[in-house]
Amino acid sequence: MENIGNKNGLWELTELCKQEGILELDIMPGFESADLVDSGIIDSMGLLSLQTMIEGHYGVLIPQELFIMELRSLTSIAVYLDAHKLSQNQKQGLGVA
């Protein structure tokens, strides 16, 4: 996936969450930066479902403690995925386009 941390990547992550039933279809505007659990958008089981979906779709294993303690909004998750992709590209010698 290209440019996951930008608006298009965040939109794609949001749509995937809706398709997988992790997010309601009629979610409130501005939810992207809200704490998903504290705001009641999803519960702790939903957070674990989100983690599993990310692993399956993006092939990125996010440590559970990091996911639960720090990556609590879709924006923070998208930024993490973007940084992970950049790191992988650098390890492979691809650099940044």
Side-chain angles (χ1 to χ4, degrees), residues 58-75:
Y58 298 106
V60 176
L61 175 61
I62 300 173
Q64 188 171 355
E65 51 280 348
L66 176 66
F67 201 82
I68 292 172
M69 298 303 291
E70 295 181 34
L71 303 178
R72 308 259 312 199
S73 71
L74 286 183
T75 299

Side-chain angles (χ1 to χ4, degrees), residues 20-75:
E20 295 292 322
I22 295 170
L23 292 177
E24 301 273 333
L25 294 176
D26 59 348
I27 195 75
M28 66 185 171
F31 72 93
E32 298 91 349
S33 60
D35 184 299
L36 294 168
V37 175
D38 288 348
S39 65
I41 295 171
I42 62 174
D43 59 16
S44 58
M45 290 304 294
L47 198 61
L48 294 176
S49 295
L50 177 57
Q51 180 185 19
T52 302
M53 186 224 34
I54 288 169
E55 288 177 30
H57 186 78
Y58 298 106
V60 176
L61 175 61
I62 300 173
Q64 188 171 355
E65 51 280 348
L66 176 66
F67 201 82
I68 292 172
M69 298 303 291
E70 295 181 34
L71 303 178
R72 308 259 312 199
S73 71
L74 286 183
T75 299

Side-chain angles (χ1 to χ4, degrees), residues 1 71 87:
M1 177 173 149
L71 303 178
S87 173

